[in-house]
Amino acid sequence: MSFGESYFYSLHYQVPSALLELEPNIQLISEDFTDVDLSFSGLIWFHLAPGATIAAQTATIRKCLPHGKLVIMSDLPSDLEALAAFSIMAKAYCNTHSGMSVLANVASVVLQGGIWIGEAIMHRLLENQVPAQDIAKVVNTKWDNILTTREREVAVMVANGLPNRVIAEKMSITERTVKAHVGAVLEKLGLKSRLQLALLVKES
């Protein structure tokens, strides 16, 4: 089983055995990122270190490898950390010690353009925010028919993990207008976050 070239980054950690078994040729990259292909668009398995925020830890790699698909690996996963991971547009968040079958699923989902999050954490993040019947109602009435053409474009780009700045550039509009579109989309669909919107778009 191969998912193409992949990178692994960690300050003080070797490639986890399950990940190495999944990807025997995975490339371990150094802290200064001088040994990487700057146009790389594959999977970047990023092992978190304690003592610093996810945004701070990933700032350089996100700047150096903007097209890479970032998979955050945590020794002690938590709901707040998961939210932080997706707030910096990570494509997946998982336990460093996950088995090979879980990691294979992560890789498959992300490489197909999806966002992967563990089922238990996903349920906790969505718990008590939007009733299941409300989500089902939106899906069953074909969510994109509810939105204007511009709003549909914004919704898809949000679901693909693009920040407002990039969406504004792609659509030749201001970030303020993008923010207004996102607000309108969330209100029309009865959602409370970009994460919920991403899950809805990807699953429907």
Side-chain angles (χ1 to χ4, degrees):
M1 181 185 300
S2 177
F3 297 97
E5 186 180 8
S6 298
Y7 289 160
F8 177 77
Y9 172 83
S10 177
L11 280 179
H12 310 292
Y13 201 80
Q14 293 301 309
V15 181
S17 56
L19 182 56
L20 191 59
E21 187 178 355
L22 178 68
E23 286 291 339
N25 298 318
I26 193 168
Q27 182 178 343
L28 184 61
I29 56 178
S30 61
E31 187 176 358
D32 58 10
F33 309 113
T34 56
D35 51 353
V36 300
D37 174 5
L38 299 184
S39 64
F40 179 74
S41 60
L43 295 171
I44 303 172
W45 303 84
F46 190 100
H47 175 244
L48 291 177
T53 66
I54 291 178
Q57 289 189 57
T58 61
T60 302
I61 201 167
R62 285 185 286 126
K63 181 179 179 180
C64 293
L65 296 168
H67 307 296
K69 299 171 177 63
L70 199 59
V71 176
I72 300 295
M73 306 185 82
S74 173
D75 293 343
L76 295 170
S78 69
D79 296 359
L80 289 177
E81 198 173 71
L83 286 172
F86 290 108
S87 75
I88 57 97
M89 305 305 169
K91 298 299 183 183
Y93 173 80
C94 65
N95 194 315
T96 308
H97 309 292
S98 296
M100 189 175 73
S101 62
V102 172
L103 297 180
N105 188 29
V106 171
S108 178
V109 169
V110 172
L111 288 173
Q112 291 179 62
I115 296 174
W116 191 95
I117 183 170
E119 186 175 350
I121 289 180
M122 181 179 73
H123 284 311
R124 288 198 294 272
L125 290 175
L126 299 180
E127 190 177 29
N128 298 324
Q129 293 188 36
V130 178
Q133 63 268 26
D134 289 351
I135 289 285
K137 181 179 178 181
V138 172
V139 173
N140 291 337
T141 54
K142 193 61 178 173
W143 66 269
D144 52 344
N145 288 341
I146 300 172
L147 309 177
T148 66
T149 300
R150 288 296 242 184
E151 289 168 349
R152 285 197 297 272
E153 292 176 10
V154 169
V156 170
M157 284 190 271
V158 167
N160 286 330
L162 300 182
N164 287 354
R165 174 182 57 78
V166 176
I167 295 174
E169 291 174 358
K170 286 182 174 291
M171 298 182 69
S172 299
I173 56 179
T174 66
E175 286 189 57
R176 184 175 180 178
T177 301
V178 173
K179 186 175 180 180
H181 281 317
V182 172
V185 168
L186 295 178
E187 182 176 356
K188 286 184 178 182
L189 299 181
L191 304 176
K192 295 184 178 181
S193 71
R194 295 169 79 101
L195 174 58
Q196 290 179 340
L197 176 60
L199 291 170
L200 176 62
V201 173
K202 296 293 184 181
E203 294 299 324
S204 60

